[in-house]
Amino acid sequence: MCADGRIEAMSPSPGDLRRSTGRFVLYVHWSLYVLLLVELSAAVLVAAATDDGAPPGPALALAVAVVLHTAGNLAWMRWSLHTVRHPVPVPRRLRPLLALWVLFTLATVLLSPVALGGLATGWPSVAVIVTSLSMAAFAPRLPWWLVTATPVVTAALVTAVLAPVLGNELPTVAGQMVAVSLIYAFFVASFWLSGWMLRVMYALDDARGQSAQLAIAEERLRISRDLHDVFGRTLATVAVKSELAAELARRGRPERAADEMAQVRRIADEAGKEVRRVVAGVRGSDLPQELVGARSLLSSAGIECVLSNQLPEGRVAPEVGAVLGAVVREAVTNVIRHSRARSARITLRLLDGPTPAVELVVVNDGLREPEHDDGSRGNGLLGMTERLAAVGGGLSHRIDPDADTFTLTAVAPLATADAGAAPAAPPAGSPTLAEGVR
């Protein structure tokens, strides 16, 4: 309970869910095992209904047959329950046992009139009970209509067989058959419903496992994407600083070269901290900070940077600002790594329309074709596209060979887009991502 008196909702842990699932499965299994023991009551009733002067042999034989039949039902019920989650046909090694069990069921039904002293003295009910419980042993694996129809069909067949010899007792026996068949139809249906509940529980348990796997995959994707962002910019900065230090050393300015290498070391230390924050899942992108870092990085690389931020302070949602900050970081990394740019311009402005949006435009000159394709081209643009799509935004780029410029345009709503909302459309005339990736 919270300090203000409200009851705090607590979600069960995965361990609690697994234990609850195991307890439910155990409860269903043993409930069905106990219900199958109802057949033993028939053996007791048979023994009690036998005439005192009748020979005890047939009644004892039927009682033993019922006990053995119950044991067989329990064994096949155990097999049915253990194969509900992953249904498989009866193994070849068990098929002889299945055939023997069917024959034993028929023998039990045929032995009962001898033990009961006649066909009309209770044998019809015994036949329905034995066949119904035999079907119940497989009910978790069978269709519901087959399970519920078995007692009714058995009662109808038994009544039809006995009709010529029953005479005046036919209405009484038929009434008993209707009552017994309906009772055991509902009884056997409960076995099928228990199997259905187990299938639902197993499906939920599998879905929970798949959800955990998806969460792990999503976390791996987040880490790989953030590491790409961090190390893309860091390695680009290290390359520029190292090249500058080497050039200063060749020109006889060791002090400046040492300063540049000290900055390289500081950048490497910061990169190590960034990696730890990425793994811990606490890293975020701040748009104003990324803009300052982008201008500093471009200046360090000898690229003139013109920054035009026309966004009113506090208007952009934090989630959208984080995504735009990541886009700025990746765009600047691409400028340094994939161009011979002498100047770059970064513009942020509001777009008027039914849905207010923010537009980020990064333009650089000095186009350069990549020297080789290492299989990783386009990862940066793809990552930016995914980030923008998550907040309802869009990404486009345009290459102008005549002006020797590359233009990257990102559009995102001021607030996080609702689920299912259409992404903000890039400006008209902008090419799609498939038209070229660098």
Side-chain angles (χ1 to χ4, degrees), residues 124-125 128 151-152 155-156 159 170-186:
S125 297
V128 173
V152 178
T159 304
L170 179 60
T172 302
V173 174
Q176 292 176 353
M177 288 296 92
V178 171
V180 172
S181 64
L182 291 179
I183 290 173
Y184 274 86
F186 285 107

Side-chain angles (χ1 to χ4, degrees), residues 370-390:
E371 297 178 358
H372 59 85
D373 189 350
D374 59 0
S376 62
R377 293 180 62 191
N379 288 339
L381 291 180
L382 181 60
M384 286 188 282
T385 303
E386 292 174 350
R387 289 175 183 268
L388 287 165

Side-chain angles (χ1 to χ4, degrees), residues 286-335:
D286 180 73
L287 180 57
Q289 181 179 355
E290 292 294 344
L291 291 174
V292 173
R295 179 158 51 185
S296 175
L297 178 59
L298 291 172
S299 299
S300 299
I303 301 173
E304 179 184 0
C305 178
V306 178
L307 177 61
S308 176
N309 187 0
Q310 305 172 17
L311 296 180
E313 186 175 356
R315 286 290 305 276
V316 181
E319 297 85 355
V320 177
V323 171
L324 291 176
V327 173
V328 170
R329 181 172 59 247
E330 180 61 29
V332 171
T333 301
N334 284 345
V335 171

Side-chain angles (χ1 to χ4, degrees), residues 36-40 65-75 104:
L36 281 179
L37 296 178
V38 71
E39 190 175 5
L40 295 179
V66 168
V67 172
L68 295 177
H69 186 257
T70 301
N73 286 343
L74 290 172
F104 190 75

Side-chain angles (χ1 to χ4, degrees), residues 75-382:
W76 286 111
M77 172 61 73
R78 183 177 182 275
W79 177 83
S80 299
L81 292 175
H82 281 83
T83 57
V84 164
R85 189 167 197 169
H86 304 290
V88 294
V90 178
R92 182 172 298 179
R93 59 185 177 83
L94 295 181
R95 290 174 186 174
L97 296 178
L98 178 60
L100 182 62
W101 174 79
V102 173
L103 293 176
F104 190 75
T105 300
L106 295 176
T108 304
V109 172
L110 297 177
L111 181 63
S112 58
V114 178
L116 294 174
L119 291 175
T121 56
W123 174 73
S125 297
V126 173
V128 173
I129 294 172
V130 172
T131 54
S132 298
L133 293 177
S134 299
M135 183 63 66
F138 289 93
R141 292 286 309 276
L142 296 175
W144 66 270
W145 57 268
L146 180 60
V147 170
T148 55
T150 298
V152 178
V153 173
T154 302
L157 291 176
V158 170
T159 304
V161 169
L162 295 180
V165 298
L166 289 178
N168 295 332
E169 297 181 1
L170 179 60
T172 302
V173 174
Q176 292 176 353
M177 288 296 92
V178 171
V180 172
S181 64
L182 291 179
I183 290 173
Y184 274 86
F186 285 107
F187 183 75
V188 177
S190 67
F191 284 76
W192 181 87
L193 287 173
S194 297
W196 174 78
M197 288 190 294
L198 283 179
R199 287 192 292 271
V200 172
M201 178 63 68
Y202 288 142
L204 292 175
D205 191 53
D206 292 340
R208 187 169 64 246
Q210 293 174 3
S211 177
Q213 293 298 322
L214 289 175
I216 293 174
E218 184 177 357
E219 181 65 9
R220 288 174 177 171
L221 178 61
R222 181 195 68 81
I223 292 176
S224 62
R225 185 174 56 194
D226 286 351
L227 287 177
H228 173 272
D229 293 346
V230 170
F231 279 107
R233 184 178 65 175
T234 299
L235 293 177
T237 306
V238 168
V240 171
K241 292 288 186 181
S242 301
E243 184 179 359
L244 178 58
E247 183 63 26
L248 291 172
R250 284 193 294 267
R251 295 184 180 183
R253 302 175 65 181
E255 295 82 3
R256 282 288 309 279
D259 292 340
E260 294 295 333
M261 293 308 299
Q263 292 185 28
V264 169
R265 179 180 178 180
R266 178 181 58 79
I267 293 172
D269 291 339
E270 289 296 328
K273 296 177 183 179
E274 286 286 324
V275 170
R276 288 189 289 272
R277 285 196 289 268
V278 166
V279 175
V282 298
R283 182 177 181 274
S285 299
D286 180 73
L287 180 57
Q289 181 179 355
E290 292 294 344
L291 291 174
V292 173
R295 179 158 51 185
S296 175
L297 178 59
L298 291 172
S299 299
S300 299
I303 301 173
E304 179 184 0
C305 178
V306 178
L307 177 61
S308 176
N309 187 0
Q310 305 172 17
L311 296 180
E313 186 175 356
R315 286 290 305 276
V316 181
E319 297 85 355
V320 177
V323 171
L324 291 176
V327 173
V328 170
R329 181 172 59 247
E330 180 61 29
V332 171
T333 301
N334 284 345
V335 171
I336 296 175
R337 294 179 59 188
H338 302 299
S339 73
R340 298 187 298 269
R342 296 179 300 275
S343 64
R345 182 179 183 86
I346 303 174
T347 304
L348 279 163
R349 65 186 183 93
L350 290 176
L351 294 179
D352 297 329
T355 303
V358 57
E359 180 186 60
L360 167 66
V361 180
V362 181
V363 183
N364 66 273
D365 59 3
L367 295 180
R368 181 178 63 183
E369 291 296 327
E371 297 178 358
H372 59 85
D373 189 350
D374 59 0
S376 62
R377 293 180 62 191
N379 288 339
L381 291 180
L382 181 60

Side-chain angles (χ1 to χ4, degrees), residues 367 399-405:
L367 295 180
I399 299 176
D400 188 350
D402 297 333
D404 194 31
T405 59

